[in-house]
Amino acid sequence: MSSEQTDVSAPSPDVAPVLLITGASSGIGAATARLARAEGWRVVLAARSAEKLEALAEELGGPEHALAVPCDVTDWDEQQRMVQSALDAYEGLDAAFANAGFGGARGFLKDTPEHWKDMVLTNVYGAALTIRATIPALSSSKGHLLLTSSVAGRRVLPGSFYSVTKHAVTAMGEAARQDLNGTGIRVTLIEPGMVDTPFFENKPTDALQGEDIARAVMFALSQPPHVDVNEILVRPTAQAG
Ligand SMILES: NC(=O)c1ccc[n+]([C@@H]2O[C@H](COP(=O)([O-])OP(=O)(O)OC[C@H]3O[C@@H](n4cnc5c(N)ncnc54)[C@H](OP(=O)(O)O)[C@@H]3O)[C@@H](O)[C@H]2O)c1
């Protein structure tokens, strides 16, 4: 590369690229926000816990660099407002990480029907709404869409309705990739094994940390425009299943 040419994969020093993250108040989303900021991105932080988002945005440098946008991903109007807030603040969107989600007990006689409904609305419908809300802005930027599925979205776990929702997310990633082919938008499925986050009531042992998944996200984001990393499955070394 001559000294006249620019490496288009690297964030421009003048205009930092913008990454919107749902589920940014905690765990994988918060870790990704921290690493993205460290690597020169501006971040839009979305989740329901406004105070946690405000504290993280402050930690990451305030509104010039990190914007807190309270949003329940199950609500279409709130998702549209979330994207509009990002565009109002930063004028564009280079990447969106649909990461909000939660789990449940294994066994079709466990949890409540209401818990299943919330899980579908958050993990599946919420992710689909994030795709829908961000496509126009990502089309303009030839941007990048990432979705958090799971190891549980690649292999069926006994009695796990959560695994069912994550199989839907895995399918959604490939469906979106094919749908968006030709637009310049790249699509990446992030499929973590066990990660030590508040996802679990009891702290897991030998688990990954949120920053281990954040590095996978940044790896996909840092590829040159002609490279679309479609799936990244990351397990802790000690995880058998
Ligand atoms: N931890 C693991 O082992 C693991 C493994 C594979 C995949 N995953 C997936 O990774 C993603 C992140 O989970 P995590 O492990 O980082 O757990 P976490 O720390 O509990 O984070 C979950 C995030 O989702 C947000 N969220 C939940 N419902 C929401 C809603 N209706 N609207 C907006 N935001 C909502 C939560 O924020 P608020 O409560 O503030 O809304 C929180 O920021 C999830 O999709 C999960 O299924 C986790």
Side-chain angles (χ1 to χ4, degrees):
M1 187 186 301
S2 81
S3 58
E4 303 274 316
Q5 289 176 308
T6 307
D7 177 4
V8 290
S9 65
S12 149
D14 299 328
V15 185
V18 178
L19 168 63
L20 180 151
I21 303 170
T22 71
S25 64
S26 173
I28 292 167
T32 302
R34 289 190 175 98
L35 186 58
R37 272 297 301 131
E39 296 192 3
W41 289 68
R42 290 177 288 176
V43 288
V44 179
L45 311 170
R48 293 165 302 177
S49 306
E51 283 184 16
K52 286 189 194 170
L53 294 179
E54 289 294 350
L56 183 58
E58 189 64 26
E59 174 196 323
L60 297 180
E64 199 183 327
H65 305 288
L67 185 72
V69 184
C71 171
D72 183 335
V73 296
T74 66
D75 186 302
W76 174 230
D77 289 341
E78 290 192 25
Q79 290 240 21
Q80 288 177 288
R81 276 199 292 275
M82 167 186 79
V83 172
Q84 193 55 53
S85 299
L87 297 178
D88 290 346
Y90 299 144
E91 290 177 6
L93 203 57
D94 299 281
F97 184 24
N99 166 72
F102 63 87
R106 290 189 198 171
F108 277 85
L109 294 177
K110 300 276 175 58
D111 284 336
T112 59
E114 290 71 28
H115 186 93
W116 287 354
K117 189 174 176 182
D118 288 345
M119 201 157 49
V120 170
L121 289 177
T122 305
N123 297 4
V124 183
Y125 180 64
L129 291 182
T130 302
I131 294 174
R132 191 180 184 104
T134 56
I135 282 176
L138 294 177
S139 294
S140 299
S141 62
K142 296 196 188 311
H144 200 142
L145 179 66
L146 303 101
L147 309 177
T148 306
S149 177
S150 172
V151 165
R154 289 285 298 273
R155 51 185 292 273
V156 175
L157 304 177
S160 172
F161 191 64
Y162 170 72
S163 170
V164 174
T165 69
K166 287 300 182 180
H167 273 73
V169 177
T170 300
M172 202 181 322
E174 176 59 11
R177 188 192 70 76
Q178 292 184 27
D179 188 37
L180 297 172
N181 191 252
T183 65
I185 299 177
R186 293 178 280 174
V187 181
T188 302
L189 273 165
I190 303 292
E191 299 165 329
M194 189 176 279
V195 188
D196 181 3
T197 72
F199 179 91
F200 295 104
E201 277 180 27
N202 301 314
K203 188 176 171 63
T205 51
D206 295 330
L208 299 167
Q209 299 300 312
E211 48 271 30
D212 297 321
I213 303 305
R215 284 198 308 281
V217 172
M218 298 316 295
F219 171 77
L221 284 174
S222 63
Q223 300 306 308
H226 69 286
V227 179
D228 187 355
V229 179
N230 298 141
E231 289 186 66
I232 306 181
L233 173 56
V234 190
R235 284 185 178 88
T237 306
Q239 183 171 330

